[in-house]
Amino acid sequence: MGNSDSKLNFRKAVIQLTTKTQPVEATDDAFWDQFWADTTTSVQDVFALVPAAEIRAVREESPSNLATLCYKAVEKLVQAAESGCPSQKEKQIVLNCTRLLTRILPYIFEDADWRGFFWSTVPGAGRAGADDGDDDSGRPLAESLLLAIADLLFCPEFTVLSHKKGSLDTAEDIHSIDSCEYIWEAGVGFAHSPPLNYIHDLNRTELLKLLLTCFSEAMYLAPSSESNVLNPWVQFFCSTDNRHALPLFTSLLNVVCAYDPVGYGIPYNHLLFSDYREQLVEHAGQVLIVMLEHEGGTAAGSPTLDGTTTTTAMDDQDPVGPDNLFVNYLSRIHREEDFQFILKGVARLLTNPLVQTYLPNSTKKIHFHQELLVLFWKLCDFNKKFLFFVLKSSDVLDILVPILFYLNDARADQSRVGLMHIGVFILLLLSGERNFGVRLNKPYSVRVPMDIPVFTGTHADLLIVIFHKIITSGHQRLQPLFDCLLTIVVNVSPYLKSLSMVAANKLLHLLEAFSTSWFLFSASQNHHLVFFLLEVFNNIIQYQFDGNYNLVYAIIRKRNVFHQLANLPTDPSSIQKALQRKKKSPEPISRTNSQEGVSMEGSRPAAPAEPGTLKISLIATPGIDKLTEKSQVSEDGTMISVQPTDSNQSPSHSSGAAGASDTESNAGAVDDEVFYVKPERRRLSSTSSVSQWTPTSDWVLSWKCKLPLQTIMRLLQVLVPQVEKICIDKGLTDESEILKFLQHGTLVGLLPVPHPILIRKYQANSGTAMWFRTYMWGVIYLRNVDPPIWYDTDVKLFEIQRV
């Protein structure tokens, strides 16, 4: 009965807090202790016993009571951190205060007048019994809270195993221990794996939930294109004031990367016992990605780490952020075995949801793949040595295949549009490196169950087939990604040794769909897609002609598409006629004229979101010309940056009316807070409102003359007569004979001089920085449902909509 009594007392105290008209004195310990002294309430109980309406009522009507409750709870945590929580009772008080603060903080953040409260110093409400000379008495409440959480995360016998031998009465002095010896898991920079202790895992998880809640002030500020908006909670926690920064960074990273959800390989083991490690891993991943949000601070004159890690890993890169130690540590990892550990761990976890076994549900499915993708992105972005390590071997394909699986799986689901973007951004980042294109030539034999046509070929074929599927059967909101998807294909195209017939046909089907006159004339940017595809064909013909007879054959079969493009009408009446046809025609890209054929075994079609699913509105991402900068690959393989003046090569910088993107006329600058509910950069459906813009003859001429058709026209001029002759001479109707002829043909000396390879490399900008912030917090908001930490609070960073 004890438990229900303590719940009753706790509930009574909450009611008193809202009904007492006089402020309760901070010294009235008997009253305040009711909130944490003997209750054995779970975090779910705390959320049930402290309703949102009552927190808001105290905030409005008895503000001093809410203020005192917060001080007292923080004070208890500070005292526990000082004493090292030797007794069971003190451990329970820590958990109760942690849960209470996790419940209350979002309601402090949602009110602009309260946001500064934790950053004020509280006169006279310093630590109980602390003399005024105490160094910390002038600390803002937020700093005291964050330092106490950091200490408690390395508290022997509470969150880590004590190293003390024997049963001495005194607890280890928490201030004299070196927390680097108490790192939670083996991995980067730490070889010793402590035995699993589920109580420690649970306690760490509760503290990390509170830490995440402290950081979540960001959710209550409207999105802004200013990239230098610093989160004061993250800034302080990641500064040199936090003496546990290094062991905590290492603990979080290692716990995530060492986690193996399959356990010891016993089928169904996850149904037999609860996995406390999984909750810890999820929260560790979330806290880590939030702390790695690097703001545009300068790194000049940053203090070096006092010998904790070597600086040799930073010799050829600008040091990142003085201020954020977590970003600093991440950017300085440099040992191959550490990279291997991180990459293997991330790949294992990303692949986990794909693992099909003969016993359905026999292996545990993780659900934190979106956090893992953000973590992988940050690793590649902040640590170029890691990026090169990933691309050094075909291990990168262990990241590519799950990303392609998620992209294919989420393409019909409006609530997962953010997942589609992060997957595409990662591939765009990787595609800027030559090695990625080279790795794609590895044969694809894994056979992950996906609803795509069966093909025999390489990872490049898999990528093209899935991109085609996204473009032809994804939902409306994915259209801003088409430029990105095709840019990735352009970037890898010079290195693709041999495309399968299935992939070659998919590329030509896209060209066919994008080059219909009504589609080209229906929006000011649509012709860019044709430029990208022509660039892909040119790269393959110029640099990889020998192995690509399937593509050459597909181009010959569809030669009329290229002839139509070359003869695209530019007179006003033809333009009007094409647009009239548009009104009658269905979606431009349908699957009717592309045989999908047999799908892979065990696959299921991409499902839309379940009704009632919550989705987060994300801000629009910048156009591809702002997302990337062009580099030319020189003779020796090095990259030279290209100044965006010459518009010949580039669809991104076409001159004339095409230069102004739709977004600029529709919804302010691209970097501003453009939510997807506003007009998008390019819609393909016939419902799109293009009232602001109409195609003119001059406009069509301005880009038609730049269509890079010379190489393909020359190829057709040489090969079509030869193929026709073979067919007539040998009475051939058989594809395989023609392919055999093409396989041994050559165009040496017959084609125009090869153009330089142009790579569009991802470049960071304030628009994407803001996108990542909204996406990351949106994921964290939706994933924390038990307890629902932020649910029904007034968040401003994004809108929550029901699908």
Side-chain angles (χ1 to χ4, degrees):
M1 276 308 291
N3 192 20
S4 58
D5 287 348
S6 69
K7 281 187 196 172
L8 208 62
N9 292 341
F10 182 76
R11 181 72 193 119
K12 241 172 30 202
V14 174
I15 293 168
Q16 284 177 304
L17 198 62
T18 47
T19 51
K20 278 187 189 287
T21 45
Q22 290 300 307
V24 185
E25 288 297 322
T27 49
D28 186 352
D29 286 338
F31 175 76
W32 297 112
D33 283 352
Q34 300 173 93
F35 288 98
W36 39 73
D38 54 4
T39 48
T40 46
T41 46
S42 69
V43 68
Q44 287 78 8
D45 292 335
V46 171
F47 272 67
L49 296 168
V50 188
E54 291 182 22
I55 304 175
R56 289 189 176 114
V58 179
R59 190 182 70 194
E60 305 310 323
E61 284 140 43
S62 322
S64 70
N65 283 352
L66 181 59
T68 309
L69 181 64
C70 291
Y71 308 142
K72 298 295 282 186
V74 172
E75 182 182 70
K76 286 288 173 200
L77 293 179
V78 171
Q79 287 167 353
E82 291 282 316
S83 69
C85 329
S87 68
Q88 197 46 50
K89 184 175 180 204
E90 282 174 274
K91 293 183 172 71
Q92 193 56 53
I93 288 176
V94 167
L95 292 173
N96 292 334
C97 291
T98 298
R99 291 160 186 167
L100 195 61
L101 286 166
T102 303
R103 178 61 172 146
I104 293 171
L105 274 167
Y107 298 91
I108 300 270
F109 294 149
E110 73 174 7
D111 185 329
D113 294 337
W114 273 84
R115 248 171 248 148
F117 164 70
F118 267 84
W119 293 97
S120 55
T121 48
V122 185
R127 308 199 175 134
D131 58 86
D132 289 338
D134 187 335
D135 182 14
D136 282 354
S137 60
R139 273 199 184 282
L141 203 58
E143 294 187 4
S144 302
L145 172 58
L146 290 171
L147 293 176
I149 296 172
D151 277 340
L152 289 165
L153 285 168
F154 293 97
C155 180
E157 293 312 310
F158 180 58
T159 46
V160 291
L161 211 58
S162 173
H163 291 184
K164 275 211 152 184
K165 301 284 178 279
S167 57
L168 294 171
D169 295 338
T170 53
E172 284 177 85
D173 173 15
I174 201 158
H175 289 289
S176 66
I177 67 170
D178 173 6
S179 45
C180 284
E181 292 172 15
Y182 291 84
I183 288 169
W184 302 347
E185 185 58 70
V188 175
F190 194 68
H192 169 65
S193 196
L196 279 180
N197 179 316
Y198 81 95
I199 300 284
H200 292 172
D201 275 3
L202 283 173
N203 294 343
R204 291 163 178 171
T205 304
E206 300 252 16
L207 287 164
L208 290 178
K209 266 193 186 112
L210 174 55
L211 193 55
L212 201 55
T213 311
C214 290
F215 295 156
S216 69
E217 184 179 275
M219 281 196 214
Y220 299 91
L221 305 172
S224 101
S225 54
E226 293 294 301
S227 60
N228 54 0
V229 181
L230 293 167
N231 180 331
W233 295 83
V234 174
Q235 209 185 356
F236 177 77
F237 194 79
C238 298
S239 73
T240 46
D241 285 276
N242 179 0
R243 70 188 189 92
H244 302 290
L246 181 63
L248 186 60
F249 166 75
T250 313
S251 294
L252 296 173
L253 185 63
N254 291 355
V255 154
V256 171
C257 295
Y259 179 56
D260 184 359
V262 181
Y264 298 104
I266 313 157
Y268 300 105
N269 63 352
H270 64 288
L271 303 177
L272 307 179
F273 55 83
S274 180
D275 179 359
Y276 296 102
R277 182 73 15 155
E278 183 182 20
Q279 300 169 32
L280 175 65
V281 171
E282 285 191 9
H283 283 88
Q286 290 171 0
V287 168
L288 197 52
I289 60 177
V290 169
M291 292 193 296
L292 290 172
E293 194 178 6
H294 175 46
E295 313 292 350
T298 59
S302 62
T304 56
L305 309 184
D306 31 60
T308 40
T309 58
T310 75
T311 50
T312 51
M314 297 180 68
D315 45 6
D316 59 354
Q317 60 188 56
D318 298 330
V320 195
D323 350 357
N324 187 323
L325 289 178
F326 284 73
V327 172
N328 203 325
Y329 296 140
L330 184 78
S331 68
R332 286 157 69 152
I333 299 171
H334 62 286
R335 296 187 323 169
E336 295 252 322
E337 55 268 43
D338 289 341
F339 288 155
Q340 190 61 33
F341 165 75
I342 294 170
L343 181 58
K344 278 274 182 283
V346 172
R348 179 195 321 113
L349 291 170
L350 284 177
T351 309
N352 162 273
L354 290 56
V355 173
Q356 295 284 330
T357 56
Y358 293 107
L359 303 165
N361 302 323
S362 66
T363 57
K364 186 177 176 57
K365 261 197 182 172
I366 62 149
H367 297 283
F368 53 93
H369 47 273
Q370 299 194 82
E371 294 95 316
L372 285 165
L373 290 173
V374 176
L375 178 61
F376 181 77
W377 169 269
K378 288 180 182 290
L379 280 156
C380 291
D381 200 23
F382 292 147
N383 191 322
K384 288 297 171 258
K385 283 194 163 67
F386 177 75
L387 176 62
F388 298 140
F389 177 84
V390 168
L391 293 166
K392 199 172 74 174
S393 73
S394 52
D395 288 352
V396 66
L397 303 175
D398 298 337
I399 300 285
L400 170 74
V401 170
I403 288 177
L404 291 175
F405 172 86
Y406 296 128
L407 291 178
N408 185 55
D409 191 50
R411 70 178 192 275
D413 182 348
Q414 295 247 0
S415 69
R416 291 197 283 167
V417 70
L419 169 62
M420 299 293 295
H421 275 74
I422 177 101
V424 172
F425 283 160
I426 290 173
L427 299 183
L428 181 63
L429 181 74
L430 295 174
S431 75
E433 307 298 332
R434 173 185 175 273
N435 263 355
F436 181 65
V438 173
R439 300 287 161 241
L440 290 178
N441 290 308
K442 188 177 177 181
Y444 174 69
S445 52
V446 192
R447 294 295 167 255
V448 169
M450 292 191 244
D451 57 325
I452 55 172
V454 174
F455 66 89
T456 305
T458 65
H459 284 76
D461 295 310
L462 178 70
L463 178 124
I464 288 168
V465 165
I466 286 177
F467 282 10
H468 174 270
K469 192 98 181 180
I470 294 167
I471 291 170
T472 56
S473 66
H475 57 77
Q476 196 63 55
R477 291 170 70 204
L478 297 180
Q479 283 160 11
L481 280 178
F482 289 3
D483 279 347
C484 269
L485 292 168
L486 293 186
T487 298
I488 294 163
V489 181
V490 172
N491 281 348
V492 301
S493 57
Y495 311 109
L496 304 183
K497 292 190 181 335
S498 176
L499 287 184
S500 70
M501 189 59 91
V502 172
N505 285 334
K506 296 298 179 203
L507 286 175
L508 279 141
H509 174 233
L510 289 179
L511 182 71
E512 205 171 3
F514 289 149
S515 61
T516 60
S517 55
W518 72 257
F519 176 66
L520 285 171
F521 299 156
S522 62
S524 67
Q525 310 271 299
N526 283 358
H527 61 286
H528 290 182
L529 299 172
V530 170
F531 275 82
F532 283 132
L533 285 163
L534 292 176
E535 200 174 334
V536 170
F537 299 142
N538 287 338
N539 280 342
I540 293 177
I541 294 166
Q542 297 271 23
Y543 291 99
Q544 299 291 349
F545 179 81
D546 287 355
N548 274 296
Y549 44 89
N550 286 324
L551 181 67
V552 172
Y553 178 64
I555 288 173
I556 291 172
R557 276 188 49 220
K558 292 280 184 186
R559 56 191 179 276
N560 64 317
V561 177
F562 299 96
H563 290 302
Q564 280 166 3
L565 257 178
N567 299 312
L568 188 72
T570 58
D571 59 290
S573 65
S574 301
I575 293 175
Q576 279 318 307
K577 237 181 250 162
L579 292 172
Q580 289 308 312
R581 273 209 304 284
K582 174 191 179 182
K583 293 198 174 76
K584 300 189 200 80
S585 60
E587 280 286 305
I589 296 188
S590 67
R591 278 167 293 174
T592 46
N593 56 351
S594 103
Q595 286 71 46
E596 287 297 79
V598 207
S599 271
M600 298 209 168
E601 186 187 345
S603 63
R604 60 186 203 295
E610 297 282 313
T613 306
L614 292 179
K615 71 173 183 190
I616 297 296
S617 64
L618 291 162
I619 62 172
T621 52
I624 195 72
D625 47 341
K626 294 210 172 60
L627 260 183
T628 54
E629 60 180 5
K630 293 199 204 48
S631 303
Q632 209 166 292
V633 181
S634 61
E635 298 286 307
D636 58 358
T638 54
M639 298 266 189
I640 310 155
S641 185
V642 178
Q643 291 311 311
T645 46
D646 173 29
S647 54
N648 287 346
Q649 290 282 341
S650 143
S652 312
H653 297 287
S654 307
S655 58
S661 82
D662 285 354
T663 324
E664 284 158 19
S665 50
N666 288 350
V670 191
D671 294 338
D672 284 353
E673 302 122 57
V674 184
F675 282 82
Y676 274 131
V677 288
K678 295 190 185 162
E680 283 155 12
R681 220 158 71 74
R682 172 171 54 249
R683 288 187 185 279
L684 300 191
S685 77
S686 42
T687 58
S688 119
S689 64
V690 279
S691 50
Q692 308 90 329
W693 177 85
T694 48
T696 63
S697 294
D698 286 350
W699 171 76
V700 179
L701 284 164
S702 73
W703 55 261
K704 182 188 166 183
C705 64
K706 295 177 188 149
L707 283 168
L709 287 165
Q710 305 83 330
T711 300
I712 293 167
M713 291 309 194
R714 184 81 185 111
L715 173 138
L716 293 172
Q717 196 187 345
V718 173
L719 291 181
V720 170
Q722 294 182 6
V723 169
E724 283 174 345
K725 186 173 186 308
I726 292 178
C727 294
I728 295 162
D729 290 357
K730 301 195 175 174
L732 278 189
T733 49
D734 183 17
E735 265 186 14
S736 61
E737 286 294 323
I738 300 170
L739 287 169
K740 207 174 285 175
F741 162 72
L742 291 173
Q743 206 169 339
H744 301 297
T746 175
L747 289 176
V748 173
L750 296 171
L751 293 179
V753 176
H755 57 282
I757 296 176
L758 203 64
I759 301 291
R760 293 172 181 82
K761 287 171 87 85
Y762 168 82
Q763 59 168 1
N765 60 66
S766 57
T768 46
M770 195 63 230
W771 184 89
F772 271 101
R773 182 180 305 166
T774 45
Y775 173 61
M776 174 179 76
W777 280 113
V779 168
I780 291 170
Y781 177 98
L782 292 175
R783 298 259 300 112
N784 282 276
V785 288
D786 183 26
I789 300 180
W790 299 281
Y791 188 69
D792 273 351
T793 60
D794 186 18
V795 297
K796 296 275 197 305
L797 186 60
F798 40 74
E799 293 165 23
I800 297 112
Q801 302 140 348
R802 282 193 184 279
V803 176

